[in-house]
């Protein structure tokens, strides 16, 4: 479903070049929910943005549903993203002057889908994320947790193959965080959509089927809560 091969990335500032990701390889099966865990600055967002096709890696390949997104041009990539990729942001990124329902419908406005069907799909998703009664309110009238539910519904409306979420509970209190994770888990089970969730919190990662840990731009294998991480791609393993 998703395969990352020998991915490396550096940011260039004039003559300076900072290596952020080094020879990352892993794969994710269709319908899996995985966590990308690592402390701040470990390269999680960079990896997520590369996988979502928002920028090109310095080296390596990324296959999604059999297509190498690294070799696509801008137009192909934009089209591919619209069809196959959903994104959930830490700060929700809802449009303030659109209603909740209009926000959820938005990704479909760019496709030629009739307004009645669009509305029907949006309302069904708002039901799924537990806020059917908020459809005609504006984002500012909602709590943070409710806004993230809207953002989750929006990410699903195009029925993407994979959803990338960058610290989706980063702005939420512990109780709301738990609720949002449970919603993501349930959607993952019922909709067969692959979820990649970036987090710096072990408690969030422990809810997923598989954890991929990043440390200073390197991938660390991680079999579960009790396992000791082993550094891959580096020269030593941790004891
Ligand atoms: N656009 C950029 N230009 C230069 N350095 C960047 C840029 N984006 C991120 N970095 C650096 O890359 C490293 C990893 O950042 P990031 O992927 O955002 O980590 P995380 O999401 O795990 O906190 C950090 O050292 C950060 O400063
Ligand atoms: Mg980040």
């Amino acid at each position: 479903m998703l395969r990352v091969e020998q991915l490396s990335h550096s940011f260039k500032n004039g003559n300076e070049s900072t290596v952020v990701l080094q020879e990352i390889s892993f794969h994710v099966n269709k319908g899996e929910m995985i966590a990308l865990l690592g402390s701040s600055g470990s390269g999680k967002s960079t990896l997520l943005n590369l996988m979502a096709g928002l920028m090109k890696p310095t080296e390596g390949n990324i296959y999604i549903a059999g297509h190498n997104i690294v070799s696509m041009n801008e137009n192909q990539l934009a089209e591919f993203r619209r069809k196959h990729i959903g994104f959930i942001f830490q700060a929700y990124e809802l449009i303030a002057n659109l209603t909740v329902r209009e926000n959820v419908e938005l990704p479909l406005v760019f496709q030629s889908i009739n307004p009645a069907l669009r509305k029907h799909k949006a309302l069904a998703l708002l039901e799924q994320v537990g806020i059917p009664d908020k459809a005609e309110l504006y984002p500012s009238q909602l709590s943070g947790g409710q806004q993230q539910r809207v953002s989750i519904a929006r990410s699903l409306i195009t029925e993407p193959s994979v959803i990338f979420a960058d610290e989706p509970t980063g702005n939420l209190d512990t109780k709301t965080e738990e609720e949002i994770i449970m919603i993501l888990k349930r959607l993952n089970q019922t909709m067969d959509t692959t979820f990649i969730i970036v987090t710096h919190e072990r408690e969030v990662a422990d809810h997923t089927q598989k954890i991929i840990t990043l440390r200073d731009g390197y991938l660390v294998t991680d079999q579960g809560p009790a396992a000791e991480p082993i550094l891959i791609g580096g020269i030593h393993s941790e004891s």
Side-chain angles (χ1 to χ4, degrees):
M1 160 61 221
L2 183 146
R3 192 152 48 90
V4 170
E5 267 181 14
Q6 291 291 305
L7 195 71
S8 296
H9 194 71
S10 314
F11 287 108
K12 287 179 185 61
N13 277 319
N15 290 333
E16 295 276 294
S17 174
T18 316
V19 181
V20 173
L21 295 173
Q22 311 210 46
E23 295 174 17
I24 306 280
S25 298
F26 64 90
H27 73 274
V28 179
N29 297 325
K30 182 166 162 47
E32 263 186 330
M33 178 162 169
I34 74 141
L36 209 54
L37 178 68
S39 54
S40 175
S42 58
K44 305 182 298 296
S45 293
T46 304
L47 179 53
L48 204 72
N49 291 338
L50 290 170
M51 292 191 293
L54 299 173
M55 53 189 199
K56 296 272 191 187
T58 314
E59 273 179 67
N61 293 306
I62 300 162
Y63 297 89
I64 297 178
H67 303 272
N68 187 357
I69 65 165
V70 174
S71 60
M72 291 181 186
N73 66 33
E74 274 309 309
N75 288 338
Q76 293 169 324
L77 204 50
E79 167 84 2
F80 186 84
R81 270 204 309 267
R82 263 199 306 278
K83 277 198 187 141
H84 292 278
I85 292 174
F87 216 99
I88 300 168
F89 304 90
Q90 176 171 350
Y92 330 126
E93 312 289 343
L94 301 174
I95 297 183
N97 60 358
L98 296 181
T99 65
V100 161
R101 174 177 58 75
E102 288 165 344
N103 267 282
V104 175
E105 284 183 30
L106 199 57
L108 291 185
V109 171
F110 305 112
Q111 300 177 12
S112 43
I113 294 194
N114 85 62
L117 177 60
R118 227 161 59 198
K119 181 174 178 180
H120 175 78
K121 283 186 128 187
L123 292 176
L125 280 166
L126 287 169
E127 178 94 46
Q128 290 235 36
V129 298
I131 48 167
D133 53 324
K134 307 292 183 203
E136 302 309 322
L137 297 181
Y138 288 87
S140 62
Q141 298 173 288
L142 270 53
S143 70
Q146 289 167 342
Q147 290 187 56
Q148 195 57 300
R149 288 168 191 246
V150 178
S151 152
I152 292 167
R154 178 184 58 187
S155 77
L156 283 160
I157 198 153
T158 55
E159 297 169 33
S161 324
V162 55
I163 290 183
F164 297 104
D166 197 350
E167 309 263 11
T169 61
N171 287 8
L172 304 173
D173 60 81
T174 311
K175 180 172 166 286
T176 312
E177 169 172 285
E178 184 83 10
E179 287 168 11
I180 293 293
I181 293 297
M182 288 308 165
I183 287 172
L184 293 175
K185 270 178 97 159
R186 190 165 42 73
L187 290 169
N188 169 252
Q189 282 157 10
T190 55
M191 302 186 86
D192 202 30
T193 302
T194 308
F195 280 85
I196 317 272
I197 303 193
V198 157
T199 183
H200 63 273
E201 288 183 81
R202 185 82 220 194
E203 303 80 61
V204 171
D206 280 342
H207 282 286
T208 67
Q209 297 161 351
K210 187 157 105 189
I211 302 175
I212 288 173
T213 308
L214 275 180
R215 187 171 301 149
D216 300 331
Y218 284 101
L219 199 71
V220 177
T221 55
D222 198 335
Q223 308 305 323
E228 281 296 324
I230 302 158
L231 204 60
I232 308 178
I235 43 168
H236 63 282
S237 61
E238 281 198 355
S239 54

